[in-house]
Amino acid sequence: MASTSFFPPRPSSTLAEIASLTKATLVDASRAEHRITGLASLDEAGPMHLSFFENLRYSDELANTRAGACLVSERFEGRVPPHVAVLRARRPFHAFVAYARHLYADALRPHTGISATSGIAPTAVIHETAKLEDEVTVEPLAVIGPDVEIGSGTVIGAGAVIAAGVKIGRDCDIGAGSHLQHALIGNNVLMHPGCHIGQDGFGFIFAGQHTKVPQTGRVIIQNDVELGAGTTIDRGSLRDTVIGEGTKVDNQVQIGHNVTIGRHCVIAAKCGLAGSLTLGDNVALGAMVGINNHVVIGDGAQVAAMSGVKDSIPAGERWGGMFARPTRTWFREMLAVRRLAEGSGAETAARPDDDRDEGRG
């Protein structure tokens, strides 16, 4: 293969340049002009790669690495082999990411790469009443409906459908195959391919024949939100569904109608959020968390992966389990059950066979 990545890096950097960019200290100044051309994990790195170390679990990989340079904290720099240049950093992974963002800036946004140039593709369909500011890119086969407004610098991916009246801010990326309706989108919002925003919420009167409740609200997505591939967000029934500023949502998350999510939340893959629940600011949900409707999760709360939440969680608490409760309680219960099971097994093993066979033939 001619290339190991779809993302061409920027020109190589010297260790002195990397130290300056990451605010790290190059321990051996004589190596300042050594050039780095890429990034790699410790076990795959070669002499032209930068790597990092901050977890003792990977001590063997560090001892055997062929990397040209390694970002490492002062605590662990004595573990770095002599042939590897040491870049001392207070938080090595943060410094590594800072350089990665510099080297692979194109990887930070979900561009499809289908269209080699900006502008409006000949096969895009744009309604005459739609308003697009300068420097909007619309890729092939995208459809933009009546009265849509799109801000400058925004990219509408191939095959995306933007329905009537949707407003999209500036510098957004709307992934290929996404569908937006009944939605107001802020600035710098990133949607990966296949997002579906503003469809009906799941609202019915459940009595014999199920009677559908009209869903007349909107979806409001504030600035700097990122939505993973395949995420669906239902519009509200009476009030709006709101995703707060800076929130990051992983792939295949379902967000129900009337949900309010605060600022800077993190929601991992395959979570399911039922209708009319509220997440405060800086809430973190692990993968595959399910939350019942009308629940309130307080600011800064965290929920462990694969938990089921049926009760509200106070601010700042950590819960987990099925059904979720404070993690200390959950861990104590699991430990008690394990001890009970081990004790039961020990009693069974201790019973002599003759006792079980007593009275037979």
Side-chain angles (χ1 to χ4, degrees):
M1 295 177 64
S3 174
T4 58
S5 174
F6 286 97
F7 297 98
R10 299 180 66 158
S12 62
S13 303
T14 66
L15 289 180
E17 291 168 340
I18 295 172
S20 175
L21 189 146
T22 62
K23 297 181 172 55
T25 300
L26 179 61
V27 172
D28 182 357
S30 68
R31 303 191 186 192
E33 296 307 310
H34 179 79
R35 289 201 165 269
I36 294 296
T37 60
L39 310 173
S41 58
L42 288 166
D43 58 337
E44 294 186 343
M48 306 299 286
H49 289 128
L50 174 69
S51 193
F52 73 96
F53 175 83
E54 61 178 21
N55 190 327
L56 288 173
R57 182 183 303 175
Y58 302 102
S59 295
D60 290 345
E61 284 87 343
L62 178 62
N64 296 302
T65 189
R66 297 173 56 248
C70 183
L71 286 154
V72 64
S73 67
E74 184 176 7
R75 175 187 174 194
F76 295 135
E77 69 178 66
R79 294 174 175 265
V80 180
H83 63 274
V84 180
V86 173
L87 288 160
R88 185 192 300 140
R90 189 168 65 88
R91 296 190 292 181
F93 182 62
H94 287 69
F96 184 81
V97 170
Y99 183 61
R101 289 173 62 89
H102 166 79
L103 200 62
Y104 294 102
D106 289 348
L108 297 174
R109 304 181 73 89
H111 293 307
T112 63
I114 289 173
S115 182
T117 58
S118 59
I120 311 300
T123 56
V125 177
I126 301 176
H127 195 274
E128 59 185 11
T129 61
K131 298 177 181 177
L132 278 61
E133 292 185 345
D134 294 340
E135 299 180 11
V136 170
T137 296
V138 184
E139 293 190 335
L141 303 177
V143 178
I144 297 176
D147 301 315
V148 168
E149 296 180 15
I150 302 176
S152 63
T154 289
V155 177
I156 307 298
V161 176
I162 314 299
V166 169
K167 308 293 188 288
I168 301 174
R170 294 172 176 167
D171 299 314
C172 297
D173 273 86
I174 308 302
S178 295
H179 185 280
L180 280 63
Q181 59 183 332
H182 307 287
L184 305 178
I185 312 298
N187 298 323
N188 194 40
V189 171
L190 308 183
M191 294 186 193
H192 292 264
C195 288
H196 296 278
I197 311 300
Q199 61 281 334
D200 274 6
F202 192 66
F204 295 88
I205 296 174
F206 296 103
Q209 292 184 343
H210 305 311
T211 303
K212 189 175 185 65
V213 177
Q215 307 288 297
T216 58
R218 305 170 296 179
V219 173
I220 297 177
I221 298 177
Q222 297 179 357
N223 296 343
D224 303 316
V225 168
E226 183 162 358
L227 303 177
T231 288
T232 58
I233 304 178
D234 297 341
R235 68 177 182 265
S237 55
L238 294 177
R239 60 186 177 89
D240 297 326
T241 301
V242 180
I243 313 299
E245 175 186 355
T247 285
K248 310 302 181 186
V249 179
D250 199 358
N251 299 336
Q252 298 181 337
V253 170
Q254 157 64 18
I255 298 174
H257 61 194
N258 301 339
V259 167
T260 298
I261 295 176
R263 297 171 299 171
H264 306 294
C265 295
V266 179
I267 302 174
K270 295 188 177 180
C271 286
L273 279 60
S276 301
L277 64 82
T278 299
L279 269 58
D281 296 340
N282 298 295
V283 170
L285 305 180
M288 299 181 70
V289 167
I291 306 180
N292 200 12
N293 53 10
H294 301 285
V295 164
V296 177
I297 312 295
D299 292 351
Q302 299 179 18
V303 183
M306 301 180 70
S307 297
V309 181
K310 67 179 182 64
D311 301 309
S312 293
I313 300 177
E317 294 198 2
R318 300 177 67 184
W319 284 34
M322 180 62 72
F323 287 103
R325 55 271 198 204
T327 50
R328 288 185 180 180
T329 302
W330 178 35
F331 291 159
R332 282 198 301 265
E333 291 174 0
M334 289 193 296
L335 182 59
V337 170
R338 188 176 73 179
R339 286 173 175 168
L340 182 63
E342 290 172 349
S344 174
E347 289 172 11
T348 302
R351 271 194 268 165
D353 290 342
D354 328 32
D355 292 346
R356 291 197 296 270
D357 291 337
E358 237 178 82
R360 292 186 183 176

